[in-house]
Amino acid sequence: MKHKQIIDKIGVGQLAQAIEEDLIRLINLTMSLKRGGSIKDIPSYVLPLLLTRWDCVLLAEDGIAIHYKEKVVLTLATLLHKYGLSDKIITDKAINAIDHLNEAVVLSDDFYRKSPQIKDLLLTKPLEWKRRPKIPKNTTFFRPNDIVSIKLDDKYYVAYIHELTGVNESPILEFYDSVFENKPAIEDITALKAKGEKYNDGKVRIAHFAIYGMKYQPDFANQVHLIRAGNLEMIPDNSHLEEAIGLFTVSDLFAIQKTIEKMFEER
């Protein structure tokens, strides 16, 4: 049994592609950090960042179909194993998901017949990934003037997309100055100003971020949500902030997690 065979039997190709693209970005980064001596252990760096994003599906209390959660956790376990990583909680959930998917007859007869082999593969120790995986092409399906929310742990942060880099490569975001307990609606952000980034000199400046890997709309990980498409009237007011340094900061869906925490820590 090969990893690709398992993915094919799950039958949600774009979901697998979304997870694999996330993994590849993280693995490339961590390989660089390990060679530079910044980190020693790849799994302990990759897994928390990856799961902060995909737990938006796995830990969702409503709005996500149970069989979709099962397909996500099985795909996660399979691709982690492919790239030499494993997480006992994810693997255990994936094994249970196989049984539940079979009980509900969600997938094919072939998946049912091959389930023991799938379990055997996931329970074996994965082989260490030796080479850098090829970085996926940067593409986004979000558009300028979209307003989005990004979920981080149990909070929601809202941002405005000013433009895209390159030819539909990555959205350039500016955050609104508010944190929400629940996914906000458009009326919740009508009067909000822009959130700036505080620099070492104490000045709070205009902050724009180019988010690579923010591709799919809707987001398979249930982390990024479109609140309003093409809204030209709600560009965040940043007139109270100091002038920006540079056009934007290059980031991605994992680096922005730490940036958000730092920007909003004083709230």
Side-chain angles (χ1 to χ4, degrees):
M1 179 62 63
K2 304 292 185 183
H3 298 100
K4 185 179 184 305
Q5 291 175 302
I6 301 174
I7 296 300
D8 289 344
K9 293 180 195 308
I10 299 170
V12 190
Q14 283 193 313
L15 166 63
Q17 184 177 340
I19 294 175
E20 189 159 22
E21 288 174 354
D22 281 355
L23 257 177
I24 287 171
R25 290 182 187 281
L26 282 171
I27 289 170
N28 268 280
L29 172 62
T30 52
M31 281 186 165
S32 297
L33 292 174
K34 187 175 182 182
R35 286 170 185 165
S38 299
I39 64 169
K40 294 182 179 180
D41 180 48
I42 288 178
S44 64
Y45 188 91
V46 169
L47 290 170
L49 291 171
L50 184 71
L51 293 179
T52 295
R53 175 159 158 71
W54 287 92
D55 275 347
C56 296
V57 169
L58 300 182
L59 302 183
E61 296 182 355
D62 53 32
I64 304 293
I66 184 62
H67 296 319
Y68 181 70
K69 289 186 178 184
E70 291 164 350
K71 291 177 181 179
V72 167
V73 77
L74 179 53
T75 305
L76 269 170
T78 302
L79 289 172
L80 283 171
H81 193 278
K82 173 182 175 179
Y83 287 96
L85 304 169
S86 67
D87 177 83
K88 187 178 186 308
I89 294 175
I90 292 297
T91 301
D92 289 347
K93 286 182 178 180
I95 298 301
N96 289 331
I98 292 171
D99 293 335
H100 294 159
L101 289 166
N102 283 330
E103 289 169 7
V105 196
V106 174
L107 301 179
S108 66
D109 289 342
D110 190 49
F111 178 86
Y112 175 81
R113 288 192 296 270
K114 299 291 176 56
S115 291
Q117 294 171 252
I118 295 172
K119 291 179 181 180
D120 287 345
L121 175 64
L122 296 180
L123 290 170
T124 60
K125 183 178 180 179
L127 298 175
E128 183 180 356
W129 191 266
K130 299 290 188 181
R131 65 186 187 277
R132 286 175 178 268
K134 184 178 179 181
I135 298 240
K137 182 178 179 180
N138 291 311
T139 308
T140 183
F141 297 118
F142 289 92
R143 291 294 175 261
N145 313 122
D146 287 351
I147 298 174
V148 299
S149 72
I150 298 176
K151 186 177 182 182
L152 185 59
D153 297 324
D154 58 347
K155 307 293 184 184
Y156 293 83
Y157 304 84
V158 186
Y160 186 90
I161 299 177
H162 285 278
E163 56 185 313
L164 309 178
T165 64
V167 181
N168 298 334
E169 287 186 353
S170 67
I172 298 176
L173 307 185
E174 183 174 21
F175 286 94
Y176 293 92
D177 190 7
S178 191
V179 182
F180 297 89
E181 299 291 332
N182 299 294
K183 185 169 65 176
I186 192 68
E187 55 267 22
D188 296 323
I189 62 174
T190 301
L192 297 180
K193 292 189 174 184
K195 177 68 173 177
E197 186 173 22
K198 190 174 183 179
Y199 282 72
N200 291 334
D201 60 4
K203 294 182 178 180
V204 182
R205 300 182 180 275
I206 295 169
H208 292 178
F209 303 92
I211 311 297
Y212 285 85
M214 186 173 151
K215 178 177 181 179
Y216 297 97
Q217 205 292 109
D219 180 20
F220 287 98
N222 194 42
Q223 183 183 33
V224 183
H225 293 270
L226 180 66
I227 296 177
R228 178 68 63 85
N231 193 315
L232 292 167
E233 301 175 356
M234 293 185 62
I235 298 174
D237 177 10
N238 56 27
S239 59
H240 60 294
L241 301 173
E242 297 288 337
E243 187 175 340
I245 297 178
L247 295 177
F248 54 79
T249 300
V250 174
S251 189
D252 60 30
L253 284 171
F254 303 103
I256 200 65
Q257 293 177 17
K258 294 181 179 180
T259 301
I260 289 171
E261 290 174 351
K262 183 178 179 181
M263 284 178 66
F264 289 87
E265 66 184 354
E266 296 179 359
R267 293 192 63 85

